[in-house]
Amino acid sequence: MTNTNQKEYTAIIQQHDKWWIGWIKEVPGVVCQEHTYEELIESLHLGLEDILDCDSEKPRRNISKNDYQEVPIYL
């Protein structure tokens, strides 16, 4: 049963020899490699949580505007 308050993401998973490799289709940067399928799913879940937390305002909540700068970076 899925929680309707949660957003769904797609894990792309492959097995290569003794390794399970996977990434989240919708979120670049969430790439994991584990020995078992179950470990891979857990690593992808934790990696996705970490990336989404970093992408939010959460890291800046406890610092004042005078303590940091926002600087554009171009590629």
Side-chain angles (χ1 to χ4, degrees), residues 9-55:
Y9 295 89
T10 308
I12 308 298
I13 297 173
Q14 299 176 318
Q15 186 174 17
H16 289 280
D17 298 320
K18 295 180 181 182
W19 291 97
W20 286 90
I21 299 166
W23 59 93
I24 302 297
K25 181 179 177 180
E26 298 84 358
V27 183
V30 182
V31 180
C32 300
Q33 174 179 315
E34 296 291 349
H35 284 292
T36 69
Y37 176 87
E38 292 78 15
E39 290 172 330
L40 177 65
I41 296 298
E42 179 66 17
S43 289
L44 288 168
H45 187 267
L46 293 172
L48 180 59
E49 281 183 332
D50 286 347
I51 290 287
L52 294 177
D53 277 348
C54 287
D55 194 35

